[in-house]
C-alpha cells in the first residue's frame, strides 16, 4: 500500500478523515469528479443527498478499480456539495457510512469539503474527486 494516513499530534482527530496522507508509490491517479450517475448515466437518488454521496463514492471506487487501485490508495478527496450548510453533515456522513459498508472499506483520506452554488446539472447535489497513488 502506497498511502499511510495519520493524525499528527497537535491537530484534531476527525472521525471521517485523517489530517495527513503520506504517499510512497510511483504512479499518481487523478479521478475526475464523480457525480451520482449509475452506469446507465441516470442520476441515482435525485433529491437525496445521502444516496448521492453513496453513489459518488461507489463511482470513485469503480474508477479506481479500473486502474488497479482502491480507496486504500487514495491520498486526497475533494467533496463539492450544492448549497452546503452544516445541518447537512448528518446526511453526508450517512452517505459515506453506507458507501463504506457497501464497498467493505473505510474511506478516511484527507478531505476538503466545499460548498458550491451548482454542479453540472440541477439533479446533482454532490461531486467527489480523488487523487490516489499506486506502485
Amino acid at each position: 500500500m502506497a498511502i499511510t494516513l495519520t493524525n499528527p499530534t497537535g491537530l484534531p482527530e476527525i472521525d471521517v478523515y485523517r489530517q495527513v496522507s503520506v504517499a510512497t508509490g510511483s504512479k499518481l491517479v487523478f479521478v475526475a469528479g464523480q457525480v451520482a450517475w449509475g452506469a446507465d448515466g441516470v442520476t441515482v437518488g435525485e433529491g437525496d443527498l445521502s444516496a448521492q454521496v453513496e453513489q459518488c463514492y461507489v463511482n470513485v471506487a469503480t474508477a479506481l478499480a479500473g486502474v488497479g487501485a482502491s480507496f486504500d490508495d487514495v491520498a486526497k478527496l475533494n467533496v463539492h456539495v450544492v448549497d452546503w450548510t452544516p445541518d447537512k453533515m448528518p446526511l453526508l456522513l450517512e452517505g459515506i457510512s453506507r458507501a463504506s459498508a457497501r464497498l467493505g472499506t473505510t474511506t478516511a483520506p484527507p478531505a476538503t469539503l466545499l460548498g458550491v452554488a451548482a454542479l453540472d446539472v440541477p439533479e446533482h447535489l454532490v461531486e467527489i474527486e480523488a487523487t490516489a497513488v499506486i506502485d
Side-chain angles (χ1 to χ4, degrees):
M1 179 170 26
I3 302 294
T4 302
L5 303 177
T6 185
N7 281 317
T9 302
L11 294 176
E13 290 192 25
I14 309 296
D15 289 338
V16 295
Y17 67 89
R18 301 302 171 262
Q19 296 285 1
V20 175
S21 66
V22 177
T24 58
S26 58
K27 294 180 186 175
L28 293 175
V29 177
F30 300 95
V31 178
Q34 296 297 303
V35 293
W37 278 326
D40 57 2
V42 174
T43 298
V44 172
E46 191 168 335
D48 182 342
L49 181 60
S50 292
Q52 289 200 18
V53 169
E54 178 182 4
Q55 186 63 45
C56 289
Y57 271 84
V58 168
N59 289 351
V60 169
T62 300
L64 291 167
V67 296
S70 72
F71 266 103
D72 289 339
D73 302 305
V74 173
K76 179 78 167 69
L77 290 174
N78 290 320
V79 180
H80 304 86
V81 182
V82 173
D83 296 326
W84 175 258
T85 56
D87 63 309
K88 294 180 181 178
M89 184 61 81
L91 297 171
L92 179 78
L93 295 177
E94 178 186 335
I96 294 170
S97 178
R98 288 176 11 193
S100 294
R102 185 169 164 188
L103 297 168
T105 187
T106 301
T107 57
T112 298
L113 172 62
L114 299 168
V116 297
L119 293 170
D120 59 329
V121 296
E123 299 83 35
H124 292 155
L125 304 175
V126 63
E127 183 170 328
I128 301 173
E129 60 182 295
T131 302
V133 179
I134 56 177
D135 291 320

